[in-house]
Amino acid sequence: EAGVAQSPRYKIIEKRQSVAFWCNPISGHATLYWYQQILGQGPKLLIQFQNNGVVDDSQLPKDRFSAERLKGVDSTLKIQPAKLEDSAVYLCASSVLAGGKNEQFFGPGTRLTVL
Amino acid sequence: AQSVTQPDIHITVSEGASLELRCNYSYGATPYLFWYVQSPGQGLQLLLKYFSGDTLVQGIKGFEAEFKRSQSSFNLRKPSVHWSDAAEYFCVRGSSNTGKLIFGQGTTLQVKP
């Protein structure tokens, strides 16, 4: 079974530029999560989708971050414009359903460096 | 707000020695607790989980954890550490309804030969 796929794996941009990350969850997983992991910290949830609807985006900086999950499968996370403090690893995870007993499977992440 | 605390940022143990990584969670009914491991260049992998029932849970790679409600703790243990166990370990609390994960800051494990 294929795991969660993410691309690109690495991205370097200048501040104020835009960037987009892509995630393809495990087939059949209805729930998709985006996490931000700043160096030296644990991942922090940015947004959670159930199919193509948003369940939780309370910690998403909506003035610069946006995310969508068209057709309830793939998802993209965009930052526009980027700031220095956005340098982090962006992790995508998926689970069969929402709910604490459903294991989340994580992708390898995209490491973003903002110069 | 729910939170998870890992008091030890960095731990070094000798190969073959026993290991205990500490974790404390903020009070709440029926905590869903997990331990994840993150190796360099690898994604996060689930080691074990606790939802209810037996307070001693077994995981993969020889790890186990014990849930102690009286101490709000969920410490991870391994009787004999291997060099390949060197990694970042995260104690995590999960929301029972949405599945949202709240991560501790992590403990970096270094294994001496």
Side-chain angles (χ1 to χ4, degrees):
Chain A
E1 179 181 89
V4 176
Q6 291 187 248
S7 68
R9 292 295 308 277
Y10 305 91
K11 190 73 176 179
I12 300 174
I13 62 172
E14 300 277 338
K15 61 182 179 184
R16 291 186 291 273
Q17 285 186 325
S18 302
V19 65
F21 312 128
W22 173 81
C23 172
N24 180 237
I26 293 173
S27 177
H29 281 197
T31 310
L32 185 146
Y33 309 80
W34 283 102
Y35 291 86
Q36 180 193 56
Q37 185 176 17
I38 294 173
L39 185 64
Q41 299 181 19
K44 179 185 77 173
L45 180 69
L46 291 176
I47 189 167
Q48 176 184 349
F49 291 95
Q50 179 70 19
N51 295 311
N52 59 353
V54 176
V55 174
D56 183 350
D57 63 356
S58 58
Q59 298 193 78
L60 186 74
K62 298 179 186 66
D63 58 333
R64 297 183 300 105
F65 285 65
S66 65
E68 60 182 8
R69 191 183 183 197
L70 300 176
K71 301 181 181 179
V73 182
D74 293 4
S75 177
T76 56
L77 176 69
K78 297 179 182 178
I79 308 175
Q80 181 179 9
K83 293 185 175 181
L84 295 177
E85 57 261 36
D86 298 330
S87 293
V89 176
Y90 291 84
L91 296 165
C92 180
S94 69
S95 62
V96 174
L97 292 170
K101 291 188 176 181
N102 292 284
E103 181 179 347
Q104 291 184 31
F105 295 85
F106 286 81
T110 296
R111 182 178 298 276
L112 173 67
T113 301
V114 182
L115 303 175
Chain B
Q2 297 180 355
S3 66
V4 176
T5 302
Q6 294 180 247
D8 305 305
I9 296 175
H10 192 107
I11 283 184
T12 300
V13 300
S14 298
E15 190 168 16
S18 63
L19 171 70
E20 182 169 30
L21 301 183
R22 297 184 291 163
C23 171
N24 294 98
Y25 64 92
S26 60
Y27 176 77
T30 319
Y32 286 8
L33 296 167
F34 308 81
W35 276 97
Y36 278 82
V37 60
Q38 187 175 40
S39 300
Q42 306 277 331
L44 282 157
Q45 182 181 24
L46 179 65
L47 284 176
L48 47 78
K49 57 192 175 186
Y50 173 78
F51 299 145
S52 64
D54 192 349
T55 57
L56 185 64
V57 293
Q58 302 297 320
I60 62 172
K61 303 184 179 184
F63 286 92
E64 66 177 26
E66 185 171 13
F67 172 68
K68 293 185 177 180
R69 185 182 296 276
S70 61
Q71 299 177 19
S72 297
S73 70
F74 188 57
N75 295 349
L76 181 71
R77 301 194 294 248
K78 186 170 185 178
S80 178
V81 170
H82 187 262
W83 63 266
S84 61
D85 293 324
E88 187 85 11
Y89 290 81
F90 293 97
C91 183
V92 184
R93 178 167 187 162
S95 166
S96 59
N97 53 350
T98 68
K100 174 181 178 178
L101 298 181
I102 298 169
F103 285 76
Q105 69 183 52
T107 298
T108 301
L109 173 65
Q110 184 178 1
V111 180
K112 295 189 301 183

